[in-house]
Amino acid sequence: MSTQKPTFTTPESELFPEDAEPSSPVSTREAFIKRSRSGYTKLRHEFVQVPASPTGGAASPAMLPAFARNHRAAVLYLALLTNWPWLRRSGEALAADTWIRFLSSGKSGSLTWTAQSLSHAWKVLEDAGLVERTLVNRLKKVTPLHESGSGESYRSPDGKSHGLYVALPHTFWTDELHATLSWPALAVLLILLKETSGRPSAELPVDKAEKYYGISRTTAEAGLAELRDEGLLLSATRWVQDHVAGEGRRWASLHALLGPYSTAQRHNLQGAAKKRRAGARAKTAATKTKTAATTKPAAKTKGAATKKEAKKKEVHDEHSTKVSG
């Protein structure tokens, strides 16, 4: 029996690819965002502002004040909600280096991340009742909690019974605004995303920003100016109706987000996502119907065969009885 080993003439380079380069921050964000599917991140209004009570209590600040000195924690929470749709499905726990890569940017003046700053940001979120962490295979698995900081379990908002939400377009990540916007600009962006959910422009009274949102007048003014400089915001002054004012109206500054952050573009994103979900549901229903249709004849055939066997047995028994008689 020959013990000679077979020889292969095909070069190895044609059988195996070259060693791959490590994933970059940009490619990581693109891959993760693709997994999230919707094109935007859902963030409940309660993160930005506690709604007015049915008994007449005014709207009041929510979670924004907690991040005045912890800008990274706010960005990290948004990153978690962005990736939660696919993380929930997969059950994966991401390594610290993976989170850092997702959040990092090479742009000048961008927010920097280290293992220490990441750990501190998770601790801030945990203390605020926005996440819980459990150890899974030597990795800390992070699960989001309700955006209000109540510590309640997180459930994706649906815009109805499970809460109104801000739609943050994923261009926020691909354009690296998560890394380049200052805290004032990010806070004002979230406020205006909330206030323009159902209209193209909204007022942000800087003298009452602390009362309604928990950010100072200086922070509100700085945020508005930065968003305008970035080409993300257009502001105009108009007379608005005011039943309390002596004239019945007052002079106010109105602000409209532009580009992918505009009300119209966000509604388009939500409409496209709704259409995809409806298509997926229809496809699933059609598959179930087809499966049911193919299994019914089989069951019918089986039933007919059983009846046929019973009939044969009956005839056989009757014949046996006659013979023995």
Side-chain angles (χ1 to χ4, degrees):
M1 182 177 180
S2 175
T3 59
Q4 185 178 359
K5 293 182 179 179
T7 57
F8 299 96
T9 57
T10 305
E12 198 174 282
S13 60
E14 293 183 17
L15 297 174
F16 305 103
E18 294 293 324
D19 288 337
E21 292 295 320
S23 180
S24 68
V26 171
S27 65
T28 299
R29 281 191 292 274
E30 288 176 348
F32 284 5
I33 285 168
K34 188 176 180 180
R35 293 182 187 184
S36 295
R37 299 177 184 173
S38 68
Y40 59 92
T41 301
K42 294 181 178 181
L43 179 72
R44 278 184 174 83
H45 284 188
E46 286 97 320
F47 183 83
V48 177
Q49 187 181 54
V50 177
S53 68
T55 57
S60 58
M63 300 307 299
L64 296 184
F67 302 109
R69 296 184 181 181
N70 298 286
H71 179 190
R72 284 184 182 84
V75 174
L76 184 57
Y77 187 62
L78 293 175
L80 177 60
L81 293 185
T82 297
N83 290 293
W84 187 242
W86 73 267
L87 284 174
R88 178 181 56 80
R89 290 192 300 267
S90 68
E92 289 186 49
L94 297 183
D97 286 344
T98 305
W99 282 113
I100 291 171
R101 189 168 64 252
F102 180 88
L103 294 161
S104 295
S105 169
K107 290 190 176 182
S108 176
S110 62
L111 205 61
T112 58
W113 290 88
T114 64
Q116 185 177 0
S117 62
L118 179 72
S119 178
H120 177 68
W122 283 132
K123 183 67 167 59
V124 169
L125 293 174
E126 201 168 31
D127 291 344
L130 291 169
V131 303
E132 62 179 2
R133 293 186 289 174
T134 53
L135 193 63
V136 178
N137 297 327
R138 298 184 180 182
L139 291 176
K140 284 289 184 71
K141 182 178 180 181
V142 187
T143 303
L145 297 176
H146 196 279
E147 294 95 324
S148 64
S150 64
E152 295 176 11
S153 298
Y154 176 81
R155 184 172 182 179
S156 180
D158 59 7
K160 298 175 184 177
S161 59
H162 296 299
L164 298 175
Y165 64 86
V166 164
L168 177 66
H170 283 167
T171 50
F172 177 76
W173 304 103
T174 55
D175 290 345
E176 301 187 30
L177 292 181
H178 71 282
T180 58
L181 288 184
S182 67
W183 167 243
L186 177 56
V188 170
L189 176 63
L190 294 177
I191 290 169
L192 290 178
L193 285 171
K194 172 194 174 286
E195 298 300 346
T196 60
S197 291
R199 50 187 172 172
S201 63
E203 186 179 359
L204 200 175
V206 294
D207 57 330
K208 296 180 180 178
E210 189 146 14
K211 177 182 177 182
Y212 293 138
Y213 306 105
I215 63 171
S216 68
R217 178 182 184 131
T218 303
T219 297
E221 290 176 335
L224 288 168
E226 186 175 336
L227 291 178
R228 281 192 288 266
D229 289 344
E230 291 288 335
L232 302 174
L233 183 70
L234 184 65
S235 300
T237 50
R238 294 288 188 274
W239 285 105
V240 297
Q241 192 176 73
D242 188 336
H243 300 297
V244 177
E247 296 183 51
R249 63 177 185 171
R250 58 183 168 78
W251 197 240
S253 293
L254 299 177
H255 311 284
L257 291 167
L258 304 175
Y261 303 93
S262 68
T263 304
Q265 290 289 345
R266 284 180 281 140
H267 285 177
N268 287 343
L269 279 176
Q270 290 170 301
K274 186 177 180 180
K275 189 175 180 180
R276 282 195 300 272
R277 288 194 298 270
R281 284 196 295 268
K283 188 176 180 180
T284 301
T287 302
K288 287 182 178 179
T289 302
K290 187 176 180 180
T291 303
T294 55
T295 54
K296 280 182 180 179
K300 187 176 180 181
T301 303
K302 185 178 179 181
T306 303
K307 286 182 179 179
K308 190 174 181 181
E309 288 296 324
K311 185 67 177 175
K312 277 180 69 178
K313 186 176 184 302
E314 185 181 332
V315 171
H316 180 270
D317 289 348
E318 185 180 345
H319 177 70
S320 299
T321 302
K322 287 180 179 180
V323 170
S324 62

